[in-house]
Amino acid sequence: MTWRCALVGLLVVLGAGGVQASPVYVASQGAGTLVALAPGPSVSASPVVVGRSPAQVAPGPNGLLYLTHPDARQISVFDARRGSLVRTFPVDGQPFGIAVSADGARLFVGDWAGDRVMRLSAETGALEGTVSVGKEPAALVLDRRGRLYVADRESRQVSVVDSLRLERIATIPVGEAPFALALDPTEDRLYVANVRSGTVSVIDTVASRTIATFAIGGMPYGVAVSPDGGLILVTNQQGGTLVVVDATDGMRRATVPVGRYPEGVVIAEASAYVANWFSDSVSVIDMATLRETARIAVPDGPRSLAVARGGDR
């Protein structure tokens, strides 16, 4: 299994009462670009070339966005305030999933081929240490307690890592081919999209165990949680839909047709945004009506999305 066959967008949810300080950014694998979407049905700026085959994009403080490039074995850093690429640095491995520490000083990067997570300096890319995880680490999510959750795609588990000690403290069995991760606003629940099981696993992060499994069908590739924690949004790559389920019992609330091979999904204020890989577009979903309100053309191969943060969390 290569990383190209298994990409997912990064979840970013604005907190209740928060202000969207930046547009939604879309990383396109085929074009090697990052483009900003205005807070409406349009592209707000020209695409910026960020390097070959960007996989995932993660926001840090002060408007910085970090992108992984598995093929080029590098990370690029984009400044949303300037609208430009500010630096790149090489990585010893195949960087894929990425998470940024709350203070922006460190990056946690999954090595797709090396079955490990690397901790790097966000300023220089210097390697500070590594920790072994399962096979083909995909999405990474870091909570406020400093726990790093890693979707181990080919190990049917989520690894839990103490990010300060760089020590794996738990492994939690989930479905087949876990790939996307999303914490709810309280961070008491972690939702895991299992690509080959057609399910979403619900993890109690306090007890470090799976407490429920929601049937989605098809190939769940991206997952996001509404700002109030009540809804789970899951992209079904196989079906070309966004599936919306109740976070309490997994009951389906809506099935929204989007573009072909939807992958990444983010929520920003009153809308959800879905990257349609094969359609070269982003679907905009109204969170009140759960209907598509716009479809925006973007450069070739959109797969990952993020919202830049203006300052510290």
Side-chain angles (χ1 to χ4, degrees), residues 15 43 99 110 159 173 186 203 213 218 256-258 292 297:
V43 173
S159 289
T186 68
I203 291 176
T213 302
V256 185
V258 290
E292 184 184 52

Side-chain angles (χ1 to χ4, degrees), residues 117-221:
V117 169
M118 301 171 283
R119 187 172 69 194
L120 310 176
S121 163
E123 179 65 28
T124 66
L127 179 66
E128 297 182 352
T130 66
V131 57
S132 296
V133 292
K135 294 181 179 179
E136 295 186 2
L140 277 63
V141 173
L142 184 66
D143 73 10
R144 290 185 290 267
R145 295 172 293 182
R147 292 181 182 175
L148 181 70
Y149 299 91
V150 184
D152 297 329
R153 179 183 169 92
E154 296 306 315
S155 294
R156 296 192 61 168
Q157 67 186 22
V158 169
S159 289
V160 186
V161 173
D162 183 310
S163 64
L164 294 179
R165 302 199 311 263
L166 274 186
E167 176 183 336
R168 184 162 63 172
I169 57 177
T171 57
I172 306 169
V174 290
E176 183 71 28
F179 204 70
L181 302 175
L183 284 165
D184 79 349
T186 68
E187 299 190 346
D188 290 338
R189 297 288 183 269
L190 177 71
Y191 298 94
V192 185
N194 303 305
V195 177
R196 292 198 291 268
S197 294
T199 61
V200 166
S201 298
V202 184
I203 291 176
D204 180 327
T205 60
V206 177
S208 292
R209 64 185 181 91
T210 298
I211 58 173
T213 302
F214 297 158
I216 303 298
M219 297 171 62
Y221 252 77

Side-chain angles (χ1 to χ4, degrees), residues 83-135:
S84 62
L85 195 68
V86 292
R87 60 183 177 273
T88 63
F89 44 77
V91 175
D92 182 18
Q94 196 172 23
F96 188 76
I98 185 169
V100 187
S101 64
D103 62 4
R106 294 180 174 88
L107 306 179
F108 297 89
V109 181
D111 182 353
W112 181 265
D115 303 337
R116 61 178 182 159
V117 169
M118 301 171 283
R119 187 172 69 194
L120 310 176
S121 163
E123 179 65 28
T124 66
L127 179 66
E128 297 182 352
T130 66
V131 57
S132 296
V133 292
K135 294 181 179 179

Side-chain angles (χ1 to χ4, degrees), residues 24 59 148 178 191 243 312:
V24 172
L148 181 70
Y191 298 94
V243 178
D312 293 342

